[in-house]
Amino acid sequence: AVVSQVGERLYELFFKNYTIKQWGRNPEELSAEVARRIPVRENRDSRYFSDVYQGVPSNGYTKMVENILDHPNISLMLETDYFKIRNDTDCELTVYTGQLDRFFAYEYGTLEYRSLELEIKTFDREFYQPVATVNYPNDYDWTRITEFKHFLGEKSDKTTLCFEYPKADGEPFYIVMTENNIRKREKYILKVRSLEESDRHLFIGRLAEYKYYNMDQIIGESMRRVTEWLKNR
């Protein structure tokens, strides 16, 4: 999928080693769908996406989520393992966003996930890099550095960066689209569909569907699925 778009030389230069670093395996072992997510353009637009409207919440994502949860009908149980309490709960609808295989007690085997170690550093300089995110396909242990200051145009003589180190274990961030994992996913998804037909469960998100989503896509899909459930009720 990549070579057909950019040729062997740019594939070797930009994509091959980044994929090996990020996923811990050769690109040939991964579904072409992973590569198709990467935009290729022939202009000088340095943004990752090509959407007409792009942005971040004016007060940040933390404040956005706080505003969503600040409602009398919403209560939170933090530091709680859902699997330890699910048999003691009775609700009309469970929206599950956790690991797909864990929900079904790994009946068809474990699915692979990749994790990240995020290292936050602050430097005494106005800027560290020319754009918000820079990838490092061939050098260093990290895959990319994000400099948040570029997003909102803050003015400061300091800058804070996030270094991303991929790893196999830890909190799951990414699904791993190999043939073996996709075959297992198909078996689990049959059980998901059966549960969802009962009208008491929705499986939504990267982990719960074992499917790639960008943030805007999953927000849209969540709203669509819940709206559909409410209409059916």
Side-chain angles (χ1 to χ4, degrees):
V2 176
V3 173
S4 67
Q5 294 183 84
V6 301
E8 288 281 356
R9 182 170 177 270
L10 295 183
Y11 163 72
E12 294 279 344
L13 185 62
F14 293 118
F15 295 94
K16 182 178 180 178
N17 291 333
Y18 185 92
T19 302
I20 293 172
K21 192 192 298 189
Q22 173 72 8
W23 302 105
R25 64 192 65 220
N26 287 320
E28 291 82 0
E29 298 178 54
L30 296 168
S31 167
E33 188 177 328
V34 176
R36 291 195 188 102
R37 298 178 64 249
I38 303 169
V40 176
R41 59 173 65 93
E42 298 177 353
N43 56 39
R44 294 191 176 275
D45 186 347
S46 63
R47 298 174 302 172
Y48 186 85
F49 298 104
S50 301
D51 301 75
V52 175
Y53 301 106
Q54 301 184 43
V56 295
S58 57
N59 295 312
Y61 286 102
T62 300
K63 192 62 181 177
M64 183 183 78
V65 174
E66 285 177 352
N67 290 339
I68 291 172
L69 296 176
D70 185 20
H71 190 283
N73 290 346
I74 295 177
S75 59
L76 299 177
M77 293 179 65
L78 303 177
E79 303 297 329
T80 303
D81 186 340
Y82 165 71
F83 294 97
K84 290 182 179 179
I85 66 164
R86 68 172 173 176
N87 293 329
D88 301 320
T89 59
D90 183 26
C91 52
E92 284 189 75
L93 175 65
T94 296
V95 180
Y96 181 71
T97 63
Q99 291 170 247
L100 175 61
D101 51 351
R102 189 181 179 195
F103 188 92
F104 297 105
Y106 309 103
E107 181 176 344
Y108 302 118
T110 58
L111 293 166
E112 289 181 89
Y113 303 88
R114 291 287 285 178
S115 187
L116 291 175
E117 180 179 337
L118 305 176
E119 184 178 20
I120 306 294
K121 291 184 177 181
T122 298
F123 293 87
D124 291 319
R125 54 195 291 184
E126 187 175 8
F127 285 101
Y128 185 89
Q129 57 192 30
V131 293
T133 302
V134 176
N135 288 359
Y136 290 80
N138 304 308
D139 304 306
Y140 308 105
D141 292 332
W142 58 79
T143 49
R144 62 184 178 185
I145 300 175
T146 298
E147 187 170 17
F148 307 104
K149 201 174 178 182
H150 287 280
F151 291 129
L152 296 175
E154 294 108 332
K155 303 297 181 184
S156 172
D157 57 1
K158 296 179 182 288
T159 186
T160 298
L161 312 174
C162 178
F163 294 75
E164 296 186 20
Y165 297 84
K167 58 181 186 175
D169 302 316
E171 183 179 350
F173 280 71
Y174 304 102
I175 64 171
V176 183
M177 296 184 66
T178 62
E179 287 186 17
N180 186 39
N181 287 324
I182 292 171
R183 280 197 299 269
K184 291 178 187 175
R185 175 195 182 271
E186 290 171 354
K187 294 178 181 179
Y188 282 122
I189 290 298
L190 289 176
K191 296 182 75 71
V192 166
R193 289 178 183 145
S194 177
L195 262 183
E196 289 185 337
E197 285 173 2
S198 72
D199 227 21
R200 292 175 62 91
H201 288 82
L202 287 177
F203 287 68
I204 301 177
R206 252 189 205 185
L207 303 183
E209 298 180 65
Y210 208 75
K211 179 179 177 181
Y212 252 114
Y213 283 109
N214 292 324
M215 190 180 297
D216 60 322
Q217 293 172 328
I218 192 52
I219 290 173
E221 182 67 5
S222 299
M223 294 172 71
R224 185 191 70 79
R225 296 277 301 281
V226 171
T227 300
E228 186 178 87
W229 184 84
L230 289 169
K231 285 181 179 177
N232 291 338
R233 302 289 285 185

